[in-house]
Structures are given as structure tokens and as C-alpha cells.
Amino acid sequence: MKMVNDKGDALYYNIVNKGGKDQFVLKGIGSTVIIGRDRQRKKSRIFTQEAQANSYLERHGFRVV
């Protein structure tokens, strides 16, 4: 699903099953960067726990479009 925040950043949020386990993938759209571990600036990030992905989205103000 596509999500945006108030700054105009946009990303895709997908749930993928890999190796029998769900993974939660955030992928930046355009020039949007996702802050990774140790403040790395990346185009995508994978979470293994849904709560962590939801916390990231909430912390950065993303909402479904």
C-alpha cells in the first residue's frame, strides 16, 4: 500500500512471506529515503516484526493514501 507523510515523502509498505515467515518491507518512492539502523539513509528497509514497522511509520508520520 502507498503511504505519505506531511513532508511529502512517499513509500510503499508490503508484507512478504519469505522462508515461511512474514517480513514487512518499506520501499521509498522517488527521492524518499528511509532511515535505517545507525541512521543510515536507504531506499528500502525490511522489518521482521510488524510492531517495529508500525512504530517506524507512526514515528515518521506516514499514513495510507
Side-chain angles (χ1 to χ4, degrees), residues 15-31:
I15 301 172
V16 179
N17 189 302
K18 188 172 183 181
K21 296 181 181 179
D22 287 339
Q23 293 184 343
F24 306 91
V25 181
L26 304 181
K27 180 146 179 65
I29 300 172
S31 62

Side-chain angles (χ1 to χ4, degrees), residues 30-57:
S31 62
T32 301
V33 292
I34 297 170
I35 306 302
R37 296 171 60 116
D38 301 325
R39 306 295 294 170
Q40 298 166 336
R41 301 171 65 81
K42 297 186 168 239
K43 291 298 291 177
S44 67
R45 184 168 177 192
I46 298 172
F47 292 92
T48 56
Q49 296 178 6
E50 186 175 17
Q52 291 175 338
N54 290 337
S55 292
Y56 179 91
L57 295 170

Side-chain angles (χ1 to χ4, degrees), residues 54-65:
N54 290 337
S55 292
Y56 179 91
L57 295 170
E58 188 175 310
R59 184 169 49 249
H60 294 281
F62 285 99
R63 62 186 184 286
V64 176
V65 177

